[in-house]
């Protein structure tokens, strides 16, 4: 492997050395290994006059003057957790964060329409400078689409005029909604929230098994702020997991152009089929999931569901029942792109969104190249295609591309 890696770098450098006046199109992606040099970068017009150092730069994309959903940050991914059934913390936000040594922006509470409003839990969020996300399921009995009961809920949700999220009637395996009634209720609920709780961002949620039905229940871009996927990861009897990326990619492909996305996920380290524990394998899977978000720029919030469901499904998703999982979660969420606070300031409806591309930009001989359309292209080609501009920060080792649109 080391030989092949060195060979790929050698071939890349030879390609650059043989170039004339025109910048080449580099079809192969080169791994990030180099250290940023002290060379001063000003523009892409330098001469490519020999085999020089290939320099790797963090590739940042600034999308200018973009529409923002309620509470959407211009940069990064909100970190969230569901702990209402967490045995160690007992659902207490401060206790969970102290044990995990990780600060979160969002905490989730699940309830049915018509249940008492979780006032104490909302106050707990206020005290800890976190933001509530309430997953609202239909009434336990009677008409699920009860506008009067929902209006009473909305009045409570707007009581403190603080940022909040409401996931309304997520589409999951056991739902029995009529598509027409569901969409009509969702759109009316949007109007009710705007009237009584303009601080609330409305979330439409779905699970992977129902993605084929999504178009029938999707209420439309005007009726929602965020779109959420809830996807669990169950360990098999040999410690392996199903491929998570396939479901995520399908969801992402369907909705990334419609709204900012949320991912709610959990990794089980207990296989009920043979009553075996696989904490090390689960820790690796957890790390992979949080890493893969770098390749899905429109996911702007990720929520881990920390609880044990052993009595029902046999699966254990708790982070705090194994030091291996706890440490994996700490490491996975340590990346600065994960945000621990939803802004309380008045929310702008447009702004510049910053994306951190998972692949680097390259510099060689005064010319610059960035990943684009499946290859690594000269920056001059990219800014011409996108009508953009770019600049390089030598101290930070960063190339920033400024555009009004980008293909995610």
């Amino acid at each position: 492997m080391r030989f092949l890696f060195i060979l790929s770098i050698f071939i890349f450098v030879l390609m650059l050395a043989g170039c004339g006046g025109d910048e080449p199109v580099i079809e192969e992606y080169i791994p990030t290994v180099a250290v940023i040099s002290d060379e001063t970068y000003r523009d892409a017009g330098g001469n490519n006059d020999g085999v020089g150092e290939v320099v790797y730069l963090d590739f940042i994309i600034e999308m200018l003057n973009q529409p923002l959903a309620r509470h959407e940050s211009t940069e990064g991914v909100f970190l969230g957790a569901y702990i209402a059934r967490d045995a160690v913390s007992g659902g207490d936000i401060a206790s969970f964060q102290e044990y995990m040594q990780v600060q979160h922006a969002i905490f989730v509470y699940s309830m049915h329409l018509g249940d008492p409003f979780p006032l104490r839990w909302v106050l707990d969020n206020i005290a800890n400078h976190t933001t509530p996300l309430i997953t609202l399921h239909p009434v336990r009995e009677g008409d699920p689409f009860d506008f009067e009961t929902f209006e009473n809920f909305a009045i409570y949700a707007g009581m403190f005029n603080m940022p909040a999220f409401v996931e309304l009637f997520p589409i999951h395996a056991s739902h029995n909604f009529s598509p027409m009634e569901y969409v009509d209720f969702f759109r009316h609920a949007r109007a009710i929230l705007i009237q009584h709780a303009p601080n609330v961002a409305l979330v439409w949620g779905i699970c992977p098994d129902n993605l084929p039905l999504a178009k029938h229940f999707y209420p439309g871009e005007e009726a929602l702020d965020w779109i959420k996927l809830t996807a669990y990861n169950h360990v098999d009897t040999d410690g392996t997991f199903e491929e998570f990326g396939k479901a995520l990619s399908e969801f992402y492909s369907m909705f990334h152009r419609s709204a900012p996305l949320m991912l709610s996920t959990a990794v089980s380290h207990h296989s009920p089929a043979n009553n075996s524990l696989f904490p090390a394998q689960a820790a690796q899977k957890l790390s992979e999931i949080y890493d893969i978000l770098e390749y899905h720029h429109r996911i702007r919030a990720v929520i881990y569901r920390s609880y044990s469901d052993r009595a029902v499904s046999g699966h254990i998703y708790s982070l705090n029942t194994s030091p291996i999982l706890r440490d994996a979660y700490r490491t996975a969420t340590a990346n600065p792109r994960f945000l621990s606070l939803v802004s309380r300031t008045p929310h702008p409806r447009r702004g510049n969104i910053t994306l951190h591309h998972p692949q680097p930009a390259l510099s060689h001989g005064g010319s610059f190249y960035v990943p684009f359309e499946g290859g690594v292209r000269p920056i001059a080609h990219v800014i011409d295609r996108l009508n953009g501009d770019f600049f390089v920060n030598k101290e930070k080792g960063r190339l920033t591309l400024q555009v009004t649109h980008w293909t995610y």
Side-chain angles (χ1 to χ4, degrees), residues 251-316:
F251 167 75
Y252 193 86
S253 176
M254 293 175 71
F255 296 115
H256 72 271
R257 292 181 178 86
S258 302
L261 307 179
M262 289 186 179
L263 171 65
S264 180
T265 191
V267 180
S268 174
H269 61 280
H270 177 255
S271 173
N274 61 355
N275 197 32
S276 297
L277 296 173
F278 299 96
Q281 292 88 337
Q284 177 63 30
K285 186 67 175 180
L286 188 155
S287 299
E288 291 173 0
I289 290 172
Y290 279 73
D291 286 344
I292 203 174
L293 299 185
E294 281 200 81
Y295 295 84
H296 298 79
H297 306 303
R298 200 60 175 133
I299 296 178
R300 311 308 297 274
V302 57
I303 296 161
Y304 191 91
R305 302 178 67 83
S306 181
Y307 69 101
S308 174
D309 201 38
R310 189 167 188 172
V312 179
S313 69
H315 296 289
I316 303 175

Side-chain angles (χ1 to χ4, degrees), residues 58 113 122-123 133 232 259 284 344:
D58 288 337
L113 184 62
V122 171
L123 292 173
L133 189 163
Y232 291 88
Q284 177 63 30
R344 299 296 198 265

